[in-house]
Amino acid sequence: MVAVPAPAKVLVSGTNGYVAVWVAQKYLEAGYSVRGTVRSATKSAFLKDTFAKYGDRFELVVVEDITKDGAFDEAVKGVDAIAHTASPFHFNVTEPEAELITPAVKGTTGILNSALRHGSTVKRIVITSSVVAVWTVITDSKPHTFSENDWNDDAVERVKAHGKDAGAFHIYGASKTLAERAAWDFVAAHKSEISWDLVTINPPYIFGPSLTPAPGVDDINTSQRLVYDTLTGARKDSGLKDQASWAHVKVVAEAHVRAINTPAAGDERFIVNSGAFFYQDILDAAAQLGVQNVPRGEPDSTKGIPILYNYKTTKAADILGLKPEIPLKDMVDESIKDFKARGYPGFEA
Ligand code: NAP
């Protein structure tokens, strides 16, 4: 039941990522200092400018290979909390173990091990997990509401049975499930030796504007690319009737702050969900916003289709005080402004 109030120092792994830049920004805004780890100093040089106004409250260190034993040994020294976000998130998988599962699992157990052995000042660790570690494929076509008690062991079984033929989505699901399970197992195994407790944040697709430079469309992260592809017509026809859930990137980042400054958050998983959506809803929102040159899809085509995948969000509301239910339209508006500012194809001035 410890908490880490500001000012305190937080280690944020993978700070150059889409979600992590927002996470670091929210910590800095809340009065924390941030030590960010990145794989490549050159690629992450933009962070020095992004966070210049926070002076020496932001520092950057390079951890080249998060799967190497002891990779985070130096980085954890002197920090009060850790937010572990670094993990591969993409669907171009040819080698499940090497590309997704090993970095997810070893990155997680590695940072926990470093905290155990060298993080004498660490009081809390937050891991960016996902609802892909929670939900499972619905086979009875009936609506389900998943909660923090659920685990996606099904994805792990699928990958065990079918390897890369399990499909990228299940491979990613397996990577997050195995990584989060490994984290909770680590805590259980080392309970008497550790001075910190664990929190996981489990969001669905995270959408909203980016703080990364993402110079080209191919540099947009995997989730925000879904918004871009919908608005530019790459996702169409039956793809517009696909349903999923989303969380606003600023809400997810705020959840990481509350996860360390709320005593009762310790030893808990939190689903952070802004709501369910059909991809058609993104086009409907653009239409309502009066955005030109965006396909309209089939505006009424999803009416009456039940939402099968639902999530309980009361725990994040009750313990973290999070109110993540913000309108999809606001996120679409912000995303379009972001794409326009970057001059991405389809959004040129
Ligand atoms: P992202 O923009 O691709 O950032 C991923 C970060 O992890 C980057 O810093 C990246 O470093 C690092 N990373 C990836 N593979 C790595 C590896 N093999 N070794 C070391 N570092 C590695 O992804 P994101 O969307 O921000 O996702 C961040 C976290 O949120 C991940 O844990 C993801 O599973 C979780 N999450 C994301 C979503 C979403 O919809 N975006 C939803 C739920 C949970 P490089 O830049 O050097 O590759």
Side-chain angles (χ1 to χ4, degrees):
M1 290 283 277
V2 290
V4 185
K9 187 173 277 194
V10 188
L11 180 73
V12 178
S13 69
T15 330
N16 62 308
Y18 165 66
V19 174
V21 185
W22 273 108
V23 168
Q25 164 123 328
K26 288 279 183 190
Y27 281 130
L28 290 162
E29 278 173 3
Y32 292 93
S33 294
V34 170
R35 177 184 296 160
T37 77
V38 294
R39 278 203 282 194
S40 153
T42 321
K43 189 175 149 189
S44 308
F46 75 93
L47 290 166
K48 298 253 185 206
D49 294 333
T50 305
F51 298 135
K53 70 175 175 188
Y54 297 105
D56 62 4
R57 283 210 284 129
F58 178 74
E59 62 182 292
L60 206 53
V61 298
V62 174
V63 174
E64 274 174 6
D65 182 357
I66 63 172
T67 65
K68 249 193 179 161
D69 286 344
F72 289 101
D73 282 0
E74 286 304 313
V76 299
K77 287 180 183 165
V79 300
D80 305 288
I82 297 172
H84 178 53
T85 79
S87 200
F89 174 36
H90 61 82
F91 298 136
N92 308 315
V93 194
T94 47
E95 291 182 47
E97 283 292 335
E99 289 166 17
L100 287 191
I101 294 174
T102 300
V105 176
K106 284 208 78 181
T108 301
T109 53
I111 206 165
L112 298 185
N113 235 318
S114 292
L116 168 69
R117 292 184 291 123
H118 299 281
S120 57
T121 50
V122 176
K123 291 172 214 62
R124 180 157 290 174
I125 299 182
V126 188
I127 291 177
T128 318
S129 187
S130 168
V131 294
V132 301
V134 171
W135 73 288
T136 37
V137 176
I138 292 172
T139 51
D140 59 7
S141 303
K142 290 188 184 140
H144 284 241
T145 299
F146 296 95
S147 78
E148 286 87 352
N149 296 326
D150 295 310
W151 282 93
N152 189 3
D153 296 318
D154 174 59
V156 178
E157 292 309 316
R158 284 172 190 254
V159 176
K160 256 190 216 154
H162 306 292
K164 70 175 165 40
D165 295 329
F169 197 77
H170 292 301
I171 296 165
Y172 173 61
S175 79
K176 297 302 284 184
T177 304
L178 287 166
E180 196 193 324
R181 278 220 182 269
W184 290 114
D185 289 347
F186 186 98
V187 169
H190 297 281
K191 200 76 203 163
S192 61
E193 303 158 77
I194 54 178
S195 56
W196 42 266
D197 55 14
L198 182 69
V199 182
T200 66
I201 302 296
N202 298 66
Y205 282 133
I206 302 171
F207 294 155
S210 175
L211 296 174
T212 65
V217 168
D218 290 337
D219 304 303
I220 305 179
N221 92 305
T222 303
S223 52
Q224 192 59 351
R225 179 72 194 233
L226 295 170
V227 176
Y228 178 81
D229 283 349
T230 306
L231 290 167
T232 51
R235 176 181 282 270
K236 52 192 171 196
D237 305 328
S238 64
L240 295 174
K241 291 186 192 165
D242 288 345
Q243 59 177 254
S245 290
W246 74 286
H248 198 292
V249 67
K250 293 179 199 172
V251 174
V252 173
E254 179 61 27
H256 284 72
V257 175
R258 295 188 188 200
I260 68 163
N261 69 17
T262 307
D267 295 327
E268 301 286 354
R269 310 172 85 194
F270 291 99
I271 291 173
V272 174
N273 180 27
S274 295
F277 71 100
F278 295 96
Y279 286 86
Q280 175 64 43
D281 298 339
I282 294 175
L283 298 184
D284 293 349
Q288 282 168 28
L289 292 161
V291 181
Q292 305 298 313
N293 303 326
V294 163
R296 295 296 177 232
E298 290 179 59
D300 292 322
S301 60
T302 57
K303 290 234 161 67
I305 302 179
I307 300 291
L308 297 183
Y309 294 86
N310 302 281
Y311 297 96
K312 211 167 159 219
T313 52
T314 44
K315 201 164 143 189
D318 293 347
I319 299 180
L320 301 182
L322 269 186
K323 295 193 176 35
E325 293 87 3
I326 50 179
L328 185 88
K329 192 171 144 193
D330 294 0
M331 178 279 292
V332 172
D333 189 26
E334 289 173 283
S335 297
I336 289 172
K337 285 180 178 145
D338 190 28
F339 298 151
K340 278 187 178 164
R342 291 159 190 270
Y344 285 160
F347 295 96
E348 300 93 340

